[in-house]
Amino acid sequence: MNKNISNIVNNIQDSGLKKFFDLANEMEDVLSLGVGEPDFETPRHIRDVALCDIQAGKTKYTATQGTLALRQSVADYLSDKFQLQYNPTNEVLITIGASEGIDLAIRTLVNCGDEVLVVEPCYVSYIPCVMLCGGIPISVATKMENEFRVTPKDIEDVITNKTKVILLSFPNNPTGAIMEKVDLESVAKVIIKHNLFVISDEIYGELTYGRNHVSIAELEGMRERTIVLGGFSKAFAMTGWRLGFATGPTDFIQAMHKIHQYSVMTADTVSQAAGVEALTSRERDKELAVMRDAYDERRNTMVEGFRKMGLECFEPLGAFYVFPCIKKTGMTSAEFCNELLKSQKVAVIPGDAFGTCGEGYIRCSYAYSLETITECLDRIEQFIMQISLC
């Protein structure tokens, strides 16, 4: 530990994702189910808009909160798809991916010593972002027997007089769990009762299967206490464009904008033009449906594959991950993933990378081709047969 470096930074552990990706990258011919990145290309018409803007020299700074055209497009899209009403002039902020939105939202709401409830398993950046602003992350563990949905009791059990914020992420990475309206309504009662604020990461809101996504901000009494985060990376296959958005009450968004303008100034100009095209194109819903249908087929293949090999596997209804339980092997998540990589050259992610309650599980992404998924499932089955014979 370097004494010249901030104690907070020294106390933050490297991401479990990074550690495992580094290990996998050292090996040749590895097949991966580890990365949460669509294998689809960004639709051609979106790329064409970006190319035209580059060729036309439209590469100057935009307004720091994002172009009005994109903020208006975001507001219209959320109204159309999720019944969320926001004023594009003062309730929408364009961010560098949803990741920046997470950081801004936490820094906006959290004072040093405030407790932040983090529903786990969760994306790897949440807890470090809380720690970086002096907040105290409190784990709210979800369970497979509850389909990894958070319950009012889960929240009530960990609330104290220092609790200020709850961080939700549904559809969930890594479990693929969703929260339906009835689930959110019961949780909202607890949130209002304790006067909590909500950061709702809804980056996978377009990717649900057999259910429609519901935002907690839609519910009575929740809009005024919720920051909703979204982006283009997952549903629109635009990971490298680094484009996201945050919406919420004016005071929250203006405060986030203050941090944003001093830390990064503005999102990428060309990406913003591409974002307008993504949201307003007549092809939007058709393209989203094509990708969603492909993910659904892969989802079914992966769930059936794990169940066939004898692993208990919750059926995810959102995002593009499955979270099978490997406890019956007697190995820890890290041991399973390390040995699988060495033995079969298949990369998956240990469940404990997403929180301690993820121990005993592995995360597998189905944002890969069916061919890759099928081959990986075959290799994982061979690995399980090998360790069963030991």
Side-chain angles (χ1 to χ4, degrees):
M1 181 178 292
N2 190 326
K3 294 181 179 179
N4 296 314
I5 294 174
S6 156
N7 289 337
I8 293 177
V9 175
N10 270 326
N11 288 328
I12 291 174
Q13 301 296 314
D14 272 341
S15 162
L17 290 177
K18 177 184 179 299
K19 291 178 182 178
F20 204 76
F21 287 152
D22 288 347
L23 181 61
N25 288 335
E26 293 172 359
M27 301 178 64
E28 295 182 357
D29 303 322
V30 170
L31 287 179
S32 178
L33 297 177
V35 182
E37 181 172 41
D39 66 331
F40 294 97
E41 291 184 343
T42 303
R44 182 57 184 263
H45 63 94
I46 297 175
R47 289 180 280 148
D48 285 345
V49 165
L51 287 170
C52 286
D53 271 24
I54 291 172
Q55 291 168 347
K58 296 180 180 180
T59 56
K60 304 294 185 181
Y61 291 132
T62 71
T64 53
Q65 67 268 44
T67 65
L68 181 57
L70 182 52
R71 285 179 282 134
Q72 183 67 65
S73 298
V74 168
D76 292 343
Y77 164 75
L78 292 176
S79 175
D80 175 40
K81 280 300 187 81
F82 306 117
Q83 292 75 56
L84 295 173
Q85 308 298 324
Y86 293 105
N87 185 330
T89 62
N90 55 13
E91 293 183 326
V92 180
L93 174 67
I94 304 305
T95 60
I96 301 179
S99 295
E100 189 207 358
I102 292 164
D103 181 46
L104 294 179
I106 291 171
R107 285 201 275 172
T108 291
L109 292 177
V110 178
N111 292 308
C112 186
D114 286 341
E115 292 181 350
V116 179
L117 306 185
V118 182
V119 177
E120 294 185 344
C122 68
Y123 182 57
V124 295
S125 75
Y126 296 165
I127 287 176
C129 283
V130 172
M131 294 174 65
L132 283 168
C133 66
I136 303 171
I138 304 296
S139 174
V140 183
T142 60
K143 305 176 182 66
M144 186 165 64
E145 53 263 36
N146 293 331
E147 298 182 332
F148 292 108
R149 304 182 191 211
V150 65
T151 69
K153 185 178 185 303
D154 294 333
I155 298 170
E156 289 277 13
D157 284 349
V158 294
I159 284 180
T160 73
N161 58 8
K162 294 182 179 180
T163 308
K164 185 177 182 182
V165 177
I166 182 168
L167 211 165
L168 301 174
S169 178
F170 293 96
N172 180 265
N173 171 13
T175 65
I178 65 168
M179 291 281 280
E180 297 188 68
K181 187 175 182 180
V182 64
D183 305 310
L184 292 171
E185 287 173 337
S186 63
V187 165
K189 292 177 182 177
V190 177
I191 290 169
I192 293 171
K193 172 185 172 184
H194 293 279
N195 193 30
L196 304 183
F197 297 98
V198 180
I199 300 171
S200 184
D201 181 356
E202 302 181 20
I203 186 69
Y204 294 98
E206 282 280 8
L207 297 178
T208 57
Y209 311 100
R211 306 287 193 281
N212 291 324
H213 174 65
V214 178
S215 172
I216 195 167
E218 294 179 34
L219 306 182
E220 184 177 356
M222 293 306 300
R223 184 190 187 280
E224 59 266 32
R225 64 178 67 245
T226 302
I227 296 172
V228 176
L229 306 175
F232 296 77
S233 293
K234 309 303 182 179
F236 294 92
M238 294 176 66
T239 50
W241 299 78
R242 305 313 305 134
L243 192 64
F245 54 82
T247 61
T250 300
D251 288 351
F252 292 173
I253 296 303
Q254 288 181 343
M256 291 174 67
H257 179 211
K258 188 184 300 183
I259 304 169
H260 171 80
Q261 65 183 313
Y262 286 127
S263 58
V264 300
M265 186 179 288
T266 181
D268 179 88
T269 300
V270 175
S271 292
Q272 290 187 66
V276 173
E277 174 67 15
L279 293 179
T280 61
S281 168
R282 288 180 294 179
E283 300 299 312
R284 181 192 72 187
D285 290 345
K286 178 181 177 182
E287 289 167 347
L288 290 173
V290 168
M291 288 188 276
R292 188 187 302 112
D293 288 347
Y295 291 138
D296 194 18
E297 182 181 7
R298 301 171 189 184
R299 177 182 72 99
N300 290 326
T301 297
M302 192 172 278
V303 170
E304 290 172 7
F306 280 117
R307 289 176 175 174
K308 178 183 174 183
M309 63 182 79
L311 296 183
E312 190 174 5
C313 188
F314 151 78
E315 181 182 359
L317 295 177
F320 41 53
Y321 308 101
V322 298
F323 205 58
C325 179
I326 52 90
K327 293 178 182 179
K328 66 178 291 183
T329 68
M331 306 174 79
T332 68
S333 295
E335 289 169 345
F336 184 96
C337 293
N338 284 322
E339 292 303 316
L340 175 65
L341 183 60
K342 293 175 185 176
S343 172
Q344 298 294 330
K345 293 191 174 182
V346 173
V348 298
I349 306 300
D352 63 348
F354 308 95
T356 55
C357 66
E359 176 54 62
Y361 298 84
I362 58 174
R363 190 195 78 171
C364 303
S365 169
Y366 50 88
Y368 293 87
S369 69
L370 273 174
E371 180 182 9
T372 297
I373 290 170
T374 301
E375 176 62 25
C376 286
L377 288 172
D378 287 344
R379 295 188 188 188
I380 295 170
E381 185 172 23
Q382 291 176 33
F383 173 68
I384 290 176
M385 291 174 64
Q386 288 173 2
I387 61 178
S388 297
L389 295 174
C390 294

